[in-house]
Amino acid sequence: MTNKSSCLVSAIVSVLLVQLLFSPSSSLQPLAFDDSSVYETFLQCLESYLSPNDQISNLVFTSTNSSYTSVLQAYKRNARFNSDLKPLIIVTPTSIPHVQYAVLCTRRIGYRLRIRSGGHDFEGLSYVSDSPFFLIDMSNLRSIEVNIETNSAWVQSGAILGEVYHAIWEKSKVHGFPAGVCPTVAVGGHFSGGGYGNMMRKFGLSVDHIVDAQIVDANGDLLDRKSMGEGLFWAIRGGGGASFGIVISYKIELVEVPETVTVFQVESNPDEGLADFVYRWQFVAPTTSNDLFMRLHFSHPITTRLEVSIQALYLGKADDVVSLLSKDFPELGLKRQDCTEMSWIESVLWYASLNYRSSPKVLLDSDTNSAKRKSDFVVNPVSREGLGDILKRVAGQLQFSMAFSPHGGEMSEIPASSSPFPHRAGNLYKIEYVGNWNEAGEKAERAVMTQLRRMYSFMAPLVSKNPRRAYVNYRDLDIGKMSHGKGYRSYEEGKVYGMKYFHGNFDRLVKVKTEVDPANFFRDEQSIPTLPMKL
């Protein structure tokens, strides 16, 4: 299927289909079917491809199916989208051909297709839409094949990070992978958007260790790195895979980790000058040893006063990090008794606020709540006065917190153009604005959203500018989106948020998108746009 000649024939047929279905004179809206006829038409199309052994009742679900709700909710992590428009059809492929057939049949009918891997989507773009759509759920495609001899693994996009870490640990106690600290995030979105983690100062991001991939494109073709070409391979390592196709799997390079690592969490004394403490942190955290990651966290639990804490991972022993910080950051006052030595897999549990002495199998569990994120990058140190103002404002907000994740180290050595993720040298740290709530209803949501947006507005003079930058894996529709009336094809609208997420890499992403998906089949409110059509 990836043979060059077959791809050429497929491309020619695809172009003709694109011209027929998506020409400027035709509508991008679905064909005029009612829900039942859409379902029947889709089933007929799918059955024409499936083998007799495939049980279509186990692959396709509609609202009339008794299992529809459980399938929809199983990987719908963000509860604030529970009342939004639901998909007409959910496809749960168990093989790669199923994904290919779903793409071809969705295009034939003319509906939109949303792609969900794990459901950790802060704007729900992977499983909600403002118009009728189909959902392809990748959770059955979650295999992980670890090969310690080659220091590599093939990981399918439906696998969650906890499963990846667990699979590596089963094969080796001195190997790991630089990725996120939340074990229930799935590979599909996390890897394709960059892949932040607490080993990034030592090893960089997840995308910096991806050496191959499989993707189903808008023509239904299965491509690997060689057949997709370096342009598309570059784009899906940080540019958001769902703009270009359906990523099936990634081949990753494992990294070597020490047998013993050290973690600690230290809270600053609020009576001894919090602003001075944070001011010093922003000079030390991005410049200290690459083996050390110190995340700074501001929170205000309702029953207590403002808390400022540092949560850290050191790739080495406790005595070494205590000695290091006695020189680099004496204000922290780190003592040996503050530190805990453990294995790398135990540190994964610890950082996820799980009992590190429990079985790593707890990494396979999942969770659901209502959530919103916003993000910023800081390129110049914030003054003591500015930090003091930040702390005062956080102290007055009860329903959100902020986390500062330091860059530097390997993050400053990798060129900004090596992947679509552009926030490399020159960035001191990333700010994450965190809003989580469990109460149902608009009142609770509005309270958190208002606080987040006010804080974000207040921070504008203190963070990156022209453009103000953001992290694509913290999707935020507040910073720009495609308008439905323009058919999700507007380059100018896409540039508003695209420059914030991708900065100087945005136009390169647009070029790749236009080449591989000129009809803009894979689209959502913040997808990569195509170049304007020349009429």
Side-chain angles (χ1 to χ4, degrees):
M1 192 155 196
T2 60
N3 179 275
K4 289 185 177 180
S5 60
S6 64
C7 285
L8 177 60
V9 172
S10 177
I12 293 172
V13 173
S14 172
V15 169
L16 294 175
L17 182 60
V18 164
Q19 291 174 344
L20 176 63
L21 291 179
F22 300 106
S23 65
S25 60
S26 66
S27 170
L28 287 176
Q29 297 300 312
L31 301 179
F33 296 127
D34 58 34
D35 288 0
S36 60
S37 61
V38 168
Y39 177 59
E40 291 302 322
T41 302
F42 184 80
L43 282 186
Q44 291 172 9
C45 176
L46 205 58
E47 287 174 338
S48 69
Y49 290 107
L50 295 175
S51 71
N53 295 326
D54 288 314
Q55 296 294 320
I56 199 166
S57 60
N58 295 329
L59 301 176
V60 182
F61 302 86
T62 69
S63 58
T64 59
N65 187 293
S66 60
S67 300
Y68 174 87
T69 299
S70 60
V71 171
L72 178 63
Q73 295 294 339
Y75 289 90
K76 196 172 185 179
R77 304 293 185 214
N78 203 331
R80 71 184 174 104
F81 299 113
N82 281 345
S83 62
D84 284 63
L85 182 66
K86 296 175 174 58
L88 294 176
I89 292 173
I90 304 174
V91 185
T92 58
T94 58
S95 69
I96 296 174
H98 294 161
V99 178
Q100 297 173 277
Y101 306 154
V103 168
L104 292 171
C105 292
T106 303
R107 283 192 63 175
R108 181 173 296 180
I109 295 174
Y111 270 70
R112 294 178 188 161
L113 183 65
R114 295 294 165 104
I115 308 148
R116 182 175 71 179
S117 49
H120 276 265
D121 184 343
F122 294 118
E123 295 290 8
L125 300 184
S126 62
Y127 50 83
V128 298
S129 177
D130 56 5
S131 62
F133 69 105
F134 298 168
L135 170 65
I136 184 163
D137 185 298
M138 301 294 287
S139 59
N140 288 328
L141 296 177
R142 60 194 313 138
S143 72
I144 303 166
E145 299 177 5
V146 178
N147 188 329
I148 295 301
E149 292 183 0
T150 60
N151 288 330
S152 66
W154 273 102
V155 183
Q156 289 191 317
S157 61
I160 60 174
L161 295 183
E163 291 171 331
V164 176
Y165 300 148
H166 185 265
I168 296 171
W169 169 79
E170 285 186 314
K171 292 292 184 71
S172 170
K173 305 304 182 274
V174 291
H175 284 82
F177 187 71
V181 299
C182 181
T184 57
V185 172
V187 163
H190 187 69
F191 286 9
S192 68
Y196 251 77
N198 58 9
M199 294 199 294
M200 68 183 187
R201 299 192 65 253
K202 178 70 172 183
F203 298 111
L205 304 175
S206 300
V207 294
D208 301 321
H209 298 269
I210 293 172
V211 296
D212 204 345
Q214 291 180 310
I215 186 172
V216 172
D217 67 8
N219 301 321
D221 288 331
L222 175 65
L223 309 173
D224 60 10
R225 178 174 183 173
K226 183 178 180 180
S227 55
M228 78 175 75
E230 289 303 302
L232 180 54
F233 181 66
W234 174 85
I236 62 174
R237 291 181 299 118
S243 286
F244 304 95
I246 302 177
V247 178
I248 301 296
S249 61
Y250 286 104
K251 184 179 182 181
I252 59 175
E253 288 183 327
L254 308 182
V255 299
E256 294 185 9
V257 295
E259 291 186 12
T260 301
V261 304
T262 301
V263 299
F264 63 84
Q265 180 165 326
V266 177
E267 294 184 7
S268 173
N269 187 335
D271 299 323
E272 296 182 359
L274 290 180
D276 289 339
F277 178 81
V278 178
Y279 182 77
R280 181 61 182 154
W281 171 90
Q282 68 180 339
F283 286 94
V284 176
T287 61
T288 190
S289 168
N290 293 4
D291 291 324
L292 178 60
F293 179 85
M294 295 190 295
R295 190 185 198 197
L296 186 70
H297 193 258
F298 302 165
S299 63
H300 193 293
I302 293 177
T303 57
T304 64
R305 59 188 174 182
L306 175 68
E307 293 181 354
V308 178
S309 62
I310 287 179
Q311 191 177 49
L313 169 69
Y314 179 69
L315 298 174
K317 295 187 176 180
D319 289 340
D320 294 334
V321 72
V322 171
S323 176
L324 171 70
L325 290 178
S326 68
K327 301 172 185 176
D328 286 0
F329 198 6
E331 297 86 348
L332 182 62
L334 184 69
K335 300 178 178 60
R336 177 62 179 81
Q337 57 264 35
D338 298 322
C339 303
T340 304
E341 293 184 339
M342 57 183 62
S343 66
W344 173 76
I345 194 67
E346 289 175 329
S347 77
V348 173
L349 296 168
W350 182 88
Y351 232 96
S353 300
L354 299 170
N355 181 358
Y356 72 90
R357 297 191 182 279
S358 61
S359 167
K361 289 184 179 180
V362 301
L363 290 169
L364 311 183
D365 296 337
S366 60
D367 58 357
T368 301
N369 62 13
S370 294
K372 168 72 176 179
R373 296 290 188 273
K374 300 178 78 66
S375 59
D376 266 316
F377 288 88
V378 175
V379 297
N380 295 308
V382 180
S383 68
R384 286 182 175 86
E385 293 75 16
L387 290 169
D389 290 340
I390 292 172
L391 291 165
K392 289 177 183 177
R393 292 186 71 91
V394 175
Q397 311 294 318
L398 299 182
Q399 298 192 48
F400 83 92
S401 60
M402 297 171 66
F404 292 7
S405 296
H407 281 217
E410 188 66 12
M411 290 292 288
S412 293
E413 299 299 322
I414 299 172
S417 61
S418 66
S419 74
F421 180 95
H423 316 291
R424 304 285 189 167
N427 290 276
L428 296 176
Y429 51 94
K430 172 180 64 67
I431 298 177
E432 177 185 2
Y433 305 86
V434 180
N436 295 321
W437 65 100
N438 293 316
E439 302 89 343
E442 292 184 6
K443 183 178 179 180
E445 178 175 340
R446 185 166 56 250
V448 176
M449 293 291 197
T450 298
Q451 293 185 19
L452 281 173
R453 288 165 178 159
R454 286 176 177 172
M455 192 68 195
Y456 184 78
S457 177
F458 168 79
M459 292 292 294
L462 306 176
V463 297
S464 61
K465 302 175 182 64
N466 303 316
R468 184 175 183 176
R469 304 178 188 183
Y471 177 36
V472 70
N473 270 356
Y474 298 158
R475 290 284 186 182
D476 181 7
L477 293 180
D478 294 346
I479 68 172
K481 63 180 180 178
M482 294 282 191
S483 56
H484 172 64
K486 295 186 180 180
Y488 297 94
R489 296 183 63 84
S490 170
Y491 170 81
E492 292 303 322
E493 285 186 335
K495 189 174 183 179
V496 173
Y497 57 82
M499 289 294 291
K500 295 171 184 176
Y501 288 140
F502 306 112
H503 202 223
N505 293 326
F506 173 69
D507 281 335
R508 183 176 172 186
L509 285 168
V510 172
K511 182 179 178 181
V512 174
K513 168 71 172 180
T514 305
E515 290 174 350
V516 303
D517 185 18
N520 207 12
F521 173 69
F522 293 108
R523 65 190 186 275
D524 57 50
E525 290 84 350
Q526 278 197 345
S527 57
I528 301 298
T530 55
L531 288 169
M533 295 182 65
K534 296 180 180 180
L535 303 179

